[in-house]
Amino acid sequence: MNKIMYLEFERCIGCRACQAACRECGDHDAKERNYVEYVDFTESRQTFPMLCMQCKDPACARVCPANAIQITDEGVVLSAMEEKCIGCRNCTFGCPFGIPKFDFEKNKMYKCDMCYDRTRDDIAPMCASVCPSDAIRFIDFDEMQQLRRRRTQMNLVEGKKPQEGNKWDYVPEFFGVYTDSQS
Amino acid sequence: MSQFLVKEGVKNQIRKGEKLVTTHCCYCGMQCGMHIRVNEKTNKVVGVEPRYDWVLTRGKMCPKGVTAYQTVDHPDRIKRPLIKKNGKFVESSWEEALDLIERKFKDLQSNYGKDSLSVYGGVSMTNEKCYLVGKYARVGLGTRYLDYNGRYCMSSAAGGFNKTLGMDRGSTLPWTELEHTDCFFMAGSNTAECHPTSIQWFWRAKDKGAKIIVADPRETATARVADVHLDLLPGTDSALANGIMHLLIKHDYVDNEYVQERCNNFAELKEMTAKFTPEYTSKITGITVEKIVKAAHIFGKSPRSVVMFARGAEQQTAGVDNVSLYTSMALLRGQIGKFASGVATFTGQGNGQGGREHGQKSDLLPGYRKLTDPKAVEYISGVWGINPEDMPKPGVSAYEMFDLMLNKTIRGLHVICSNPVVSSPNINHVYKAMETLDFLVVSDFFLSETAELADVVLPATTWAEDEGTTTNIEGRVIHIRKVVEPLGESKPDWQIMSMIAERMGKGKHFQYNEPREIFDELRLASKGGKADYFGVTYEKIDEQDGVFWPAPAEDHPGSPSVFKEKFATEDGRANLAVCDWKGPAEVKSKDYPLWLTTGRVVFHYLSGNQTRRVGFLMEQCPEPFVEMHPELASQYQVENGENVKLVTARGDMIVPVKITKAIRKDVLFVPYHWGKQQAVNQLTSPALDPTSRMPEFKVCAVKLEKLTK
């Protein structure tokens, strides 16, 4: 798997197609594992999607006392293995992004696995496939680098800077996967 | 079973024991491409797979699209005909239901004349079915009273386009060109929620530096990122358009050569817009002068621009004026008929485009022919095999039909693919009218609020159980494939109409074995008309990713862009609109001091009869709400989530409050997807546009009452 999940929060239109689509993935048991939130609905309609970051050294796996959270060769952090998970919910507390969810009926955790049954064959995960605004993309590394460079470049073009009361400021900076200086 | 295909070179996940059937979504005019997953053993629909290769939407879907398949095998489906006996629905056989319909229809017609029956159609179904609704009413039942829910949806756009451009194709350009556009002027369209998959094109253009100007009382997702958000008062679009044109003329942004060569009425337009100075426009619209001036400069400077609008501008008593004026903005800039520029309306219903072209409207015949034109009547009578004298005369518009029910002119009604007691304005009146009917038949696949009132409910099929074509938002005719066999005893609408026609003794005009035969008849019926489908075939659609009408000959590839050389008016020149601002039919007063406007949310479609039954969508948006500005909420001392009462001259409703600064301080917004006590259409105004007869859903005066605890 040579693809990258690339998020651009300000493209998000809050339609939650990614969540509906997440339920459609084969291994997902009709439960969504991603999030779409309003930054602050009272202020603006800006929403943002939130997915598992697939950390290199994932806190969820590290705090699991049962070693139930496996990481694939490609680096995808999977949901807890059913036979190993003891339902302690350590992972849901450990994750700095609040990603893992807990199924109280089955007494086990579940989380985004990047639609592993699709992505291992280089087919885009369901969320990135359907996202109407390209807020979530599943793209090549080179394309990702190009997009990042373009963000900075576009800031040089007249009119691309946020205007009309700096509405883009509602996207908190610490969520930014991109690096540019919007001053 | 129709052909199944997944394009070569496109990787899709195909699971063991499943096959993919390539089709399109059943909901809005975007008609997003999708594959439906079918279990090969059980032949049941099990899910959805993105269709990455569909040229317009590239695999993308909104939450309605993703969950659309869930309506096919839904437990609420009506599987057998239902007859109301002693106030309760009882399942019956088709034979019994048809017997009853035949008896009642014949009784009514022999006692009260042919026109005592009526048909109310819809455009969330294929061209084949929409075409047949017209023929069914006029030939099968022989009644003049026929109209459809597109009256509430597209009629003002149609009226405006016909007036200015001479032809009503929703978009003058293919939307795949939109990424090359430099400026979008969008009025009255919450496109991020109503047509979510169109956003990819706007964002892609924006990535390249395109400007976006949005006119909307609410700060929608598009307005939020727009270069200028023109936060106008509901019902003031014609003032805004005139104001922008005033500035285009003043600052010399007019494409004089184009206007001189291709447009009429420029002098009159100049005269009319003279008084719409930014100050005057600002006073009417409530938009600051600076924003109006900024928008005019951005729009005027852009080499390639597209003016777009939707129900916000159209569902007004000045709907046709608004459309004509916005279209004139594009004409002044010399944009229509050129690459990546032009004018477009956002088609709300799946087949809002195709469904309005082929004779479901009270005064239209297939191919956009006029019922008042004797030549058209003669031609269509020939295609239908009837005597031209037997062709019924034009009837009345959708909302006006209810008045005729109340005064007993109309005594029987067949509703096909629509839910008028939720989607009409002033539904308290509509309920009364429907209850006055002697006999009501409803074809639907879920028991809608309208179906609940019926004497007979006939089980129709979903979109996945029948083949056909629809015409999308661009004017591109596309192919809907049959995915599975109809559930239970349900039948496609074309079969239902043919069976009733047969019972009415008109069976010889309705001999169809499959939709393709109806389409071939439609091709012939539309031949030579403005919406000419003669050159469209199922094969050609599959070969070239859809066919844009007009396609007047069998070897014609279709017309992605229209009006390249001339317009479809009689003299080939566009008619610039010369319209003053008239103001909405109802204005706010001491008793009703606020403005109310309505619209959609991304999770629901039209009257919600389908989407209110889908788990994911109901979890996201289970009930209506009223959006208001915190300043207004503070004045009425209401909190977020608190129930309030909204009252207009026509009705009232209780609804929870949602507070946001993303709306004007003097406007309330309520989505319309719910029925009965939850229906905002209890409140809306039934004032009609004089030309299009479209009701003014988007503007009425309202009173907000805090409930005592």
Side-chain angles (χ1 to χ4, degrees), chain A residues 23-24 42 46 129 160, chain B residues 52 69 206 224 619 661:
Chain A
R23 293 188 182 187
E24 298 302 319
T42 313
Q46 174 74 65
S129 297
K160 285 308 289 186
Chain B
Y52 300 110
Y69 77 91
K206 202 166 162 52
R224 180 175 55 73
E619 284 168 34
K661 289 180 190 163

Side-chain angles (χ1 to χ4, degrees), chain B residues 277-517:
Chain B
T277 58
E279 291 71 26
Y280 181 66
T281 311
S282 166
K283 217 172 118 192
I284 297 172
T285 57
I287 311 167
T288 59
V289 170
E290 294 71 35
K291 282 187 177 183
I292 297 170
V293 172
K294 188 175 168 191
H297 282 295
I298 292 179
F299 180 71
K301 278 181 189 161
S302 300
R304 283 188 294 260
S305 60
V306 179
V307 178
M308 314 178 99
F309 35 82
R311 303 310 83 71
E314 295 162 15
Q315 288 176 335
Q316 296 181 22
T317 44
V320 171
D321 288 357
N322 295 342
V323 169
S324 316
L325 286 164
Y326 281 132
T327 306
S328 300
M329 274 170 53
L331 286 168
L332 282 194
R333 288 284 304 126
Q335 296 292 337
I336 299 178
K338 293 183 184 166
F339 170 67
S341 40
V343 59
T345 179
F346 289 91
T347 311
Q349 294 194 66
N351 195 21
Q353 179 71 52
R356 71 180 188 260
E357 297 160 358
H358 298 298
Q360 260 196 101
K361 224 173 177 175
S362 63
D363 57 348
L364 287 184
L365 289 170
Y368 250 119
R369 288 184 163 86
K370 287 210 170 80
L371 196 46
T372 44
D373 171 10
K375 270 194 191 144
V377 171
E378 199 185 316
Y379 179 75
I380 298 297
S381 301
V383 176
W384 287 352
I386 60 166
N387 205 329
E389 286 91 66
D390 294 340
M391 181 72 82
K393 299 281 171 278
V396 298
S397 77
Y399 188 76
E400 290 165 302
M401 274 173 44
F402 300 117
D403 294 333
L404 296 186
M405 290 172 206
L406 275 172
N407 73 18
K408 284 285 184 184
T409 310
I410 292 174
R411 289 168 176 266
L413 171 66
H414 188 175
V415 177
I416 301 165
C417 186
S418 193
N419 191 8
V421 299
V422 177
S423 58
S424 301
N426 191 17
I427 57 169
N428 294 333
H429 175 80
V430 174
Y431 259 102
K432 246 180 259 159
M434 299 285 265
E435 280 156 7
T436 324
L437 286 168
D438 294 353
F439 191 60
L440 173 63
V441 182
V442 175
S443 305
D444 211 324
F445 51 85
F446 290 131
L447 198 70
S448 66
E449 285 78 1
T450 306
E452 284 174 22
L453 305 174
D455 297 290
V456 182
V457 181
L458 299 174
T461 53
T462 61
W463 100 111
E465 294 157 321
D466 190 26
E467 194 179 19
T469 61
T470 60
T471 308
N472 79 354
I473 205 160
E474 310 162 280
R476 190 196 301 254
V477 187
I478 53 173
H479 191 174
I480 305 289
R481 285 190 181 73
K482 184 170 176 176
V483 180
V484 287
E485 288 300 325
L487 190 72
E489 291 180 23
S490 63
K491 292 182 191 297
D493 293 282
W494 58 268
Q495 268 181 21
I496 297 175
M497 288 184 271
S498 302
M499 285 189 305
I500 297 177
E502 175 99 49
R503 295 296 190 111
M504 299 302 283
K506 303 286 181 186
K508 69 171 174 156
H509 302 287
F510 292 84
Q511 295 298 322
Y512 307 110
N513 299 309
E514 54 170 358
R516 194 180 284 254
E517 294 172 10

Side-chain angles (χ1 to χ4, degrees), chain A residues 22-37:
Chain A
C22 187
R23 293 188 182 187
E24 298 302 319
C25 187
D27 296 337
H28 285 187
D29 213 12
K31 289 191 181 75
E32 80 257 16
R33 288 116 203 274
N34 46 8
Y35 302 80
V36 176
E37 323 261 11

Side-chain angles (χ1 to χ4, degrees), chain B residues 68-232:
Chain B
Y69 77 91
Q70 294 173 13
T71 58
V72 179
D73 231 344
H74 198 283
D76 288 358
R77 279 288 296 276
I78 308 170
K79 295 183 191 125
R80 299 190 69 200
L82 304 173
I83 296 178
K84 200 175 262 167
K85 292 176 182 164
N86 299 324
K88 271 194 183 148
F89 281 121
V90 181
E91 283 198 358
S92 80
S93 66
W94 273 97
E95 214 42 42
E96 194 187 343
L98 289 172
D99 283 345
L100 180 64
I101 292 170
E102 179 186 346
R103 187 161 53 82
K104 288 281 187 181
F105 276 7
K106 282 184 173 165
D107 276 358
L108 285 173
Q109 286 198 321
S110 64
N111 289 335
Y112 306 103
K114 287 256 179 205
D115 294 337
S116 58
L117 292 184
S118 60
V119 177
Y120 190 107
V123 286
S124 294
M125 49 186 181
T126 59
N127 286 319
E128 287 77 357
K129 292 170 187 167
C130 291
Y131 161 77
L132 210 63
V133 170
K135 186 177 173 186
Y136 163 69
R138 291 177 177 134
V139 179
L141 305 181
T143 177
R144 70 192 294 180
Y145 292 120
L146 156 75
D147 212 47
Y148 76 124
N149 65 8
R151 185 69 71 171
Y152 300 157
C153 179
M154 301 311 303
S155 55
S156 288
F161 282 149
N162 281 327
K163 205 169 128 188
T164 47
L165 310 175
M167 182 173 97
D168 162 36
R169 202 183 85 178
S171 171
T172 62
L173 74 164
W175 283 24
T176 43
E177 286 180 6
L178 291 182
E179 66 175 296
H180 306 289
T181 302
D182 301 306
C183 174
F184 300 99
F185 189 106
M186 294 186 211
S189 167
N190 181 8
T191 182
E193 292 204 63
C194 304
H195 305 87
T197 54
S198 67
I199 287 293
Q200 56 184 313
W201 297 102
F202 302 124
W203 273 202
R204 211 171 287 156
K206 202 166 162 52
D207 288 345
K208 297 183 185 183
K211 305 282 185 180
I212 299 181
I213 301 163
V214 174
D216 200 307
R218 300 161 72 212
E219 192 191 72
T220 58
T222 32
R224 180 175 55 73
V225 298
D227 296 275
V228 190
H229 172 207
L230 302 167
D231 48 347
L232 81 177

Side-chain angles (χ1 to χ4, degrees), chain B residues 20 81 242 454 519 642:
Chain B
L20 301 182
N242 273 322
F519 190 69
E642 180 179 335

